[in-house]
Amino acid sequence: MRRLLSVLIPILSLIIALIMFKCIFIIGFVPSESMEPTLEKGSMILGNRLYGELNTGDIIIFRHDNKLLVKRIAAVPNEHIQIDGVEYIVPHGCYFVLGDNRDNSYDSRYWDNPYVRKDNIVAILFYCLQKR
């Protein structure tokens, strides 16, 4: 019995960890300076796939052009935002996102479709382990 437990406990722990990272959490890597100083290039991030209402200021992980990106929500559905003299009205079910490092961020300001659809959002930022 003791030997069986010594095998089952690590296997069950691994299965639980795999399920948690498939269904609840996502681990990522910050490849650029676009979110500095909040998220330094090279930092590891942990996102929570189970999130409620998203608000202006939340940092999200989402899919854009077959890549995962991390940016801050600058405007939520039905909000108006004006950037560099251009006014954007965020459609229902979408978000307008910006990098914190505005001079070095490829974000909503530069995309053909400047909005992130809710179904493209993978997670909300939960934790960041800054590169030292």
Side-chain angles (χ1 to χ4, degrees), residues 34-35 58-60 62 70-73 97-99 105-106:
S34 70
M35 284 298 292
D58 288 342
I59 298 176
I60 58 172
F62 60 96
V70 59
K71 304 287 181 204
R72 187 178 301 278
I73 295 176
V97 298
L98 296 171
S105 178
Y106 180 63

Side-chain angles (χ1 to χ4, degrees), residues 55-118:
N55 298 299
T56 300
D58 288 342
I59 298 176
I60 58 172
I61 302 163
F62 60 96
R63 292 191 194 310
H64 179 76
D65 288 343
N66 297 318
K67 290 191 257 181
L68 284 178
L69 300 179
V70 59
K71 304 287 181 204
R72 187 178 301 278
I73 295 176
V76 297
N78 304 316
E79 274 190 342
H80 296 239
I81 185 169
Q82 189 164 4
I83 305 232
D84 299 327
V86 178
E87 183 176 30
Y88 300 91
I89 301 170
V90 183
H92 178 74
C94 296
Y95 298 86
F96 190 89
V97 298
L98 296 171
D100 287 358
N101 183 354
R102 301 280 156 73
D103 293 334
N104 191 16
S105 178
Y106 180 63
D107 51 38
S108 287
R109 299 170 293 173
Y110 305 109
W111 303 335
D112 290 336
N113 176 5
Y115 308 107
V116 175
R117 290 190 355 241
K118 184 166 179 62

Side-chain angles (χ1 to χ4, degrees), residues 27-46:
I27 294 177
F29 172 76
V30 180
S32 73
E33 299 89 5
S34 70
M35 284 298 292
E36 288 186 350
T38 308
L39 305 174
E40 294 178 10
K41 179 180 179 178
S43 298
M44 298 298 292
I45 56 174
L46 181 64

